[in-house]
Amino acid sequence: MSLLIVEQMARGIRSFHFEGLQFILRSQEKKKYTKRMCRNMLKHVEIKDAESFRAFYDWIFQKGYTYKFQEAMIEVQMLPRQSWSDYLAHVNDKDYEMYRYIMDNIDRIPTGGAVAYDMAYLLLIIHASRRLGYIEQEEEELKTLHVLQFLQMNYADWTEFIFGFSLGKRQMTTDFSNKYVWDYKVFLRHWLYSKKSPFHQIDWRTELT
């Protein structure tokens, strides 16, 4: 039963990351990622065999795409709040909006920050690597379980996961306005309100083993 829940949860998160506005709530079906799609995904991150896959997997956990947000969040948390204004005045223009957003929202940003974006992408990469035969099914299952357990440790529920994912999207586009939410409001509304969504079908706190 646990293995089935793991696959359903992973499939939902993969679809959340991959389909975007084209998401049509089929994440609980056995969606097939064609080998051509998988090759294109893996080519983008220079994965061509088991060794390069494992190197990418380790890189995501050690650094990842959202490391700048994570580092900034930790910096802000360590600073006394009364010194935030002075600190912000010396932040470079490129990172100013990110730091200001973190300071304005520090009390509602989940423990995991923006790392949900990295983990959702990693679940896609794990699955694509197995589809192309770079890794065996057993390794796919073990690494998928590890990623999901990591997400559970860093986000309390689906709402926090979606918020964390949106933070990653915002960092990647360097836009910390609400543009992401407005651009994806149809997609996000389905996730939040449809009875077919993993949001309502899978208990985030299910113990995965």
Side-chain angles (χ1 to χ4, degrees):
M1 177 60 114
S2 181
L3 186 59
L4 177 61
I5 295 296
V6 167
E7 176 51 28
Q8 288 177 336
M9 194 170 182
R11 195 181 303 134
I13 293 173
R14 287 198 302 261
S15 294
F16 185 86
H17 187 287
F18 186 71
E19 298 192 46
L21 287 174
Q22 286 70 48
F23 182 74
I24 52 177
L25 299 176
R26 291 188 300 190
S27 59
Q28 297 309 290
E29 299 175 10
K30 292 186 177 180
K31 177 176 176 61
K32 291 290 186 181
Y33 295 88
T34 67
K35 290 193 173 181
R36 181 178 181 181
M37 290 164 62
C38 292
R39 275 194 294 271
N40 288 338
M41 277 189 278
L42 298 185
K43 182 178 180 181
H44 183 69
V45 291
E46 300 182 348
I47 292 176
K48 56 185 181 300
D49 52 28
E51 183 179 358
S52 50
F53 160 74
R54 291 174 190 132
F56 180 81
Y57 180 91
D58 290 342
W59 176 79
I60 285 288
F61 272 97
Q62 293 165 7
K63 188 173 183 179
Y65 295 104
T66 59
Y67 73 95
K68 286 187 69 175
F69 187 95
Q70 302 303 104
E71 288 183 345
M73 185 175 73
I74 292 170
E75 284 180 33
V76 170
Q77 289 172 331
M78 293 178 66
L79 290 170
R81 297 199 179 209
Q82 61 268 27
S83 69
W84 283 1
S85 295
D86 290 339
Y87 187 86
L88 192 59
H90 295 90
V91 171
N92 64 61
D93 291 343
K94 184 179 178 182
D95 295 329
Y96 181 84
E97 289 300 324
M98 178 176 67
Y99 274 88
R100 190 177 72 170
Y101 180 89
I102 291 172
M103 290 175 179
D104 288 345
N105 295 277
I106 193 65
D107 292 325
R108 56 188 292 261
I109 293 174
T111 303
V115 78
Y117 179 88
D118 287 337
M119 294 299 130
Y121 187 50
L122 183 55
L123 286 173
L124 267 177
I125 296 301
I126 293 169
H127 186 68
S129 296
R130 200 272 301 162
R131 284 277 292 148
L132 293 185
Y134 296 161
I135 61 174
E136 299 294 329
Q137 183 173 339
E138 182 180 3
E139 184 170 0
E140 178 188 19
E141 292 172 354
L142 288 171
K143 283 185 164 51
T144 296
L145 176 62
H146 183 212
V147 171
L148 294 178
Q149 289 174 331
F150 181 81
L151 285 170
Q152 286 182 322
M153 284 191 298
N154 286 279
Y155 301 96
D157 50 33
W158 282 106
T159 302
E160 282 200 359
F161 163 75
I162 292 170
F163 185 26
F165 183 89
S166 76
L167 293 175
K169 281 288 239 185
R170 293 175 188 191
Q171 187 221 294
M172 296 298 287
T173 59
T174 65
D175 183 354
F176 283 88
S177 67
N178 284 324
K179 185 176 185 299
Y180 168 79
V181 176
W182 286 108
D183 286 350
Y184 285 79
K185 63 182 178 180
V186 174
F187 168 50
L188 294 171
R189 188 182 298 125
H190 277 297
W191 255 81
L192 293 172
Y193 299 115
S194 173
K195 291 181 180 179
K196 295 181 180 179
S197 169
F199 188 91
H200 295 290
Q201 292 191 342
I202 302 171
D203 182 358
W204 180 268
R205 299 312 309 172
T206 298
E207 185 175 354
L208 305 176
T209 56

